[in-house]
Amino acid sequence: MQGLREKCGIFGVFAPGEDVARLTFFGLHALQHRGQESAGIATTDGRKLNIFAEMGLVAQVFDEDTLAGLPGHAAIGHTRYSTTGSSVQCNAQPFLIKGALGELAIAHNGNVVNADVMRVDLESRGTRFETTTDTEVLGHLLAEAAPSNWQDGFTTMMRRAVGAYSLVILSKEALYAVRDPLGIRPLCIGRLNGHGWVFASETCALDHLGADFVREVAPGEVVRVDEHGLTSTFPLGDPAADQALCLFEFIYFARPDSKLDGQLLHPVRMRMGARLSEEHPVDADLVIGVPDSATAAAIGYAAASGIPYAEGLVKNRYVGRTFIQPDQRLRERGVQLKYNPLREVIQGKRVIVVDDSIVRGTTTPRVVKMLRDAGATEVHMRITSPPITHPCFYGVDMATRGELIAANMDVDAIRDHIGADSLGYLSLEATVDATGLGGGRHCTACFSGVYPSEVPLQFDKFALESEASRPDHEIPMVAAAPATVPLTAR
Ligand code: AMP
C-alpha cells in the first residue's frame, strides 16, 4: 500500500566527553511524533562508525545494551514513518554508505522528487542499492561525487537533488547538517553545555536536552562540525530568497512547544483558531478541539468568539495514529479506539468542533457521529487549514489525488459526507497570516497546487488541468522518468 506518509524526525550531536548515543536517544524520543515506524542511531569514535536501527518506537528499539554498543563523540539519529511492505526493515535509517572518502551515515527528513531519475543514472554507472529510499540516492550522490573533498560532493548533490531534504550526515571525522535550498523541512541548531553542538528537526528536542537554541540551519546551507568547531557554507551560493517551509508543519506536524522560523506554534495555532471564528462564526454553546493537535486552535476559537471552551473528547494517548492503519476498516475502528466523548459535557449542547485538517475524510464523520451519539444537538465542524486538494511530494505523500476528499468534493458535499450541521475551513490567507511570518515564505502546495519546485507529473494527473490558472512565477510541472523501484519518503 502507498498510504499517506508522515514526516520523519532527525537529530545530530557533536559533544566530546558526553554520552552521545543516549543524548540522541532522548532527542529522538522528543521527535517521536514525527514518525513511529523505525528508529536508528549512528555514532563515530573517530576511527569507525557504529550503527543500530530497527523497526519500532524509539524506546522499543533501544535499551542499555544497544546504547552501550554505540560509543563515540558524535551521533546522528532518525525516527521514521514508512509504508508497510517487506523492505521496511532495510529502509530503517540512518543508512551506512561507503564512498570515495570513506564511510558515511545519513538520516533524512523530506522527499526528493527526482530520486528515481538519479537512481537510474547511478545504477547505470555501477552503484548498487540496498534500499528503496531516496535517502540512499542522496548518500551515493554525495559519496560518489566527492572524489577529493566533501564540499564538491555537497555541491553536486545539491545541484542535482530537487525537493525536500533536511539531512544529518556523519563521517568518521565530522557531523554535517544540510537543508535544501527551499528549506521545506525544518532543522535547527543548538548549543549543549557550552561545548557541544546539537541539530534537531524541532526545537522541542533541544528543550528536553537543556540545549540552547542558536538558529535554524538556513535554506541551502551545509553546516559542518568537527573538533575545530562549526563552519558554514552555501554550496549553491548565497541563501536563496524564496524559502518554502511547509505550512502543514505549522498546522499539524510540529509540536506546539516547538518554534518554527522563530514562531512558537502554540500561539500560532491559537491565532488560526481565532481567525477561524472570524471567518466562520456560528451560534453555539461550546467549543471543543479534537485532541491533541487542535487543542490550541480550539482555545483560540473560543477566546475570540466568546463561546466557552470545554474538553469534550478524551484521547487515549497510547493508540497509534489512525492514519497508519493499513486498511480502511481498521482505520475506521481506530477513530473509535482513539477518542471517547464526555457525554456529560456534550449532551444537549450545540457544539463547535475544531480540528486541524481533513485529509481522506475518515476521522471527521466518525467524530461527528460520536458527538451526536453523545447527545450533541448540533455539530459545527471548523478546520484550521484550507481544503487539502493536492498531494505533497515533499515528505507527506498520497498515493493518488483521488484519496483527498477535498480534491473530489466541494465544501457543501464534504459537510454532507461528514454529517455536520455546518463546515468551515480557514482561508489560505488567514492560515499564512497566523504564522506571523508574512506571505511568500511557505510551501502551500497541498492547499494551492502551487509547488515550489518541479514535481513528477505521473503522480498528479490533474495538475496540468489547473495549469492555466497558475501564477506566472510557478515552475511548470515536469514528468520525471518512470521509477524502476518505488521510492519511499522519510
Ligand atoms: P482524515 O481522517 O484522513 O481526514 O485525516 C484527518 C485527521 O488526521 C485529522 O484529525 C488530523 O489531525 C490528522 N492528520 C492529518 N494529517 C495527518 C498525517 N499526515 N498523519 C497522521 N494524522 C494526520
Side-chain angles (χ1 to χ4, degrees):
M1 163 210 144
Q2 283 250 325
L4 191 78
R5 302 173 200 136
E6 194 169 332
K7 302 174 176 68
C8 300
I10 57 172
F11 184 86
V13 54
F14 189 101
E18 306 272 355
D19 183 348
V20 291
R22 195 174 298 269
L23 288 170
T24 306
F25 170 83
F26 289 133
L28 293 180
H29 206 259
L31 300 171
Q32 185 77 81
H33 61 288
R34 296 183 70 87
Q36 297 97 37
E37 289 263 314
S38 70
I41 296 177
T43 60
T44 176
D45 56 12
R47 284 166 308 183
K48 70 176 180 58
L49 296 180
N50 311 287
I51 194 157
F52 189 84
E54 270 191 356
M55 302 307 295
L57 299 170
V58 178
Q60 293 168 333
V61 169
F62 293 100
D63 57 22
E64 287 302 328
D65 287 347
T66 45
L67 289 176
L70 294 165
H73 60 269
I76 61 170
H78 188 265
T79 67
R80 174 168 198 263
Y81 178 81
S82 68
T83 53
T84 53
S86 57
S87 62
V88 165
Q89 171 66 50
C90 77
N91 284 346
Q93 296 191 25
F95 298 137
L96 214 48
I97 289 173
K98 293 189 173 65
L101 290 176
E103 274 183 339
L104 63 88
I106 182 167
H108 173 204
N109 173 206
N111 189 44
V112 174
V113 299
N114 62 340
D116 44 7
V117 185
M118 296 193 293
R119 179 179 176 129
V120 170
D121 183 39
L122 284 163
E123 279 176 332
S124 74
R125 290 190 278 119
T127 305
R128 293 191 49 192
F129 283 83
E130 285 173 20
T131 74
T132 55
T133 67
D134 54 347
T135 308
E136 194 183 2
V137 175
L138 288 180
H140 280 298
L141 209 56
L142 177 62
E144 286 167 32
S148 54
N149 65 63
W150 287 97
Q151 209 49 43
D152 290 350
F154 282 116
T155 307
T156 307
M157 184 193 84
M158 293 174 86
R159 262 198 204 128
R160 294 205 56 195
V162 177
Y165 52 91
S166 281
L167 302 168
V168 281
I169 297 166
L170 197 62
S171 71
K172 276 184 289 189
E173 303 79 23
L175 168 63
Y176 298 86
V178 184
R179 220 164 147 210
D180 67 71
L182 291 167
I184 296 174
R185 297 278 149 242
L187 188 60
C188 67
I189 310 176
R191 195 82 169 115
L192 185 75
N193 301 337
H195 69 98
W197 294 99
V198 185
F199 301 90
S201 295
E202 291 181 35
T203 60
C204 67
L206 307 185
D207 297 336
H208 283 298
L209 292 178
D212 296 319
F213 173 79
V214 175
R215 64 176 177 84
E216 318 251 341
V217 176
E221 184 179 14
V222 175
V223 177
R224 175 189 158 109
V225 187
D226 59 20
E227 65 209 31
H228 305 296
L230 186 143
T231 49
S232 155
T233 52
F234 288 86
L236 302 186
D238 287 340
D242 14 322
Q243 174 169 334
L245 177 56
C246 167
L247 188 56
F248 210 55
E249 293 272 358
F250 290 83
I251 295 163
Y252 169 80
F253 275 110
R255 270 178 35 172
D257 54 336
S258 285
K259 279 187 180 172
L260 286 181
D261 224 349
Q263 301 291 319
L264 183 64
L265 295 192
H266 190 270
V268 165
R269 289 176 186 165
M270 282 183 68
R271 287 199 290 274
M272 288 175 179
R275 291 295 298 268
L276 195 52
S277 85
E278 289 162 17
E279 290 189 340
H280 298 284
V282 61
D283 216 10
D285 305 309
L286 292 179
V287 181
I288 69 170
V290 178
D292 298 323
S293 49
T295 303
I299 294 170
Y301 191 112
S305 64
I307 300 170
Y309 169 79
E311 202 176 345
L313 286 170
V314 175
K315 180 180 173 186
N316 178 344
R317 297 208 157 79
Y318 303 97
V319 172
R321 294 215 157 131
T322 52
F323 250 80
I324 65 177
Q325 300 292 351
D327 76 39
Q328 187 67 15
R329 202 170 48 83
L330 283 172
R331 216 179 279 133
E332 288 169 14
R333 172 63 57 81
V335 175
Q336 196 184 339
L337 294 173
K338 190 166 161 186
Y339 302 114
N340 201 19
L342 283 169
R343 179 173 283 275
E344 285 68 15
V345 174
I346 286 158
Q347 196 152 30
K349 300 286 187 343
R350 297 168 300 164
V351 181
I352 297 170
V353 196
V354 181
D355 202 358
D356 52 80
S357 56
I358 301 178
V359 184
R360 291 189 182 90
T362 309
T363 307
T364 324
R366 275 150 199 95
V367 167
V368 172
K369 181 170 185 308
M370 203 175 257
L371 294 170
R372 288 205 197 281
D373 290 348
T377 55
E378 291 175 21
V379 179
H380 301 279
M381 201 73 209
R382 295 293 179 269
I383 306 294
T384 58
S385 63
I388 299 177
T389 49
H390 290 74
C392 172
F393 299 106
Y394 305 120
V396 190
D397 292 303
M398 273 66 88
T400 63
R401 195 173 176 217
E403 283 189 336
L404 297 172
I405 192 167
N408 300 289
M409 290 186 194
D410 65 17
V411 175
D412 288 345
I414 298 173
R415 182 204 55 220
D416 293 345
H417 173 84
I418 66 175
D421 292 282
S422 72
L423 168 65
Y425 285 94
L426 190 61
S427 68
L428 183 55
E429 193 196 358
T431 312
V432 169
D433 262 10
T435 66
L437 293 169
R441 294 179 66 83
H442 304 98
C443 174
T444 62
C446 58
F447 309 119
S448 62
V450 178
Y451 292 90
S453 75
E454 299 169 341
V455 291
L457 188 58
Q458 77 265 27
F459 287 124
D460 187 357
K461 299 198 180 71
F462 298 86
L464 277 182
E465 291 169 21
S466 55
E467 189 114 68
S469 59
R470 283 155 191 266
D472 290 335
H473 64 264
E474 195 209 339
I475 299 167
M477 303 280 282
V478 297
T484 48
V485 182
L487 291 162
T488 48
R490 6 261 41 91

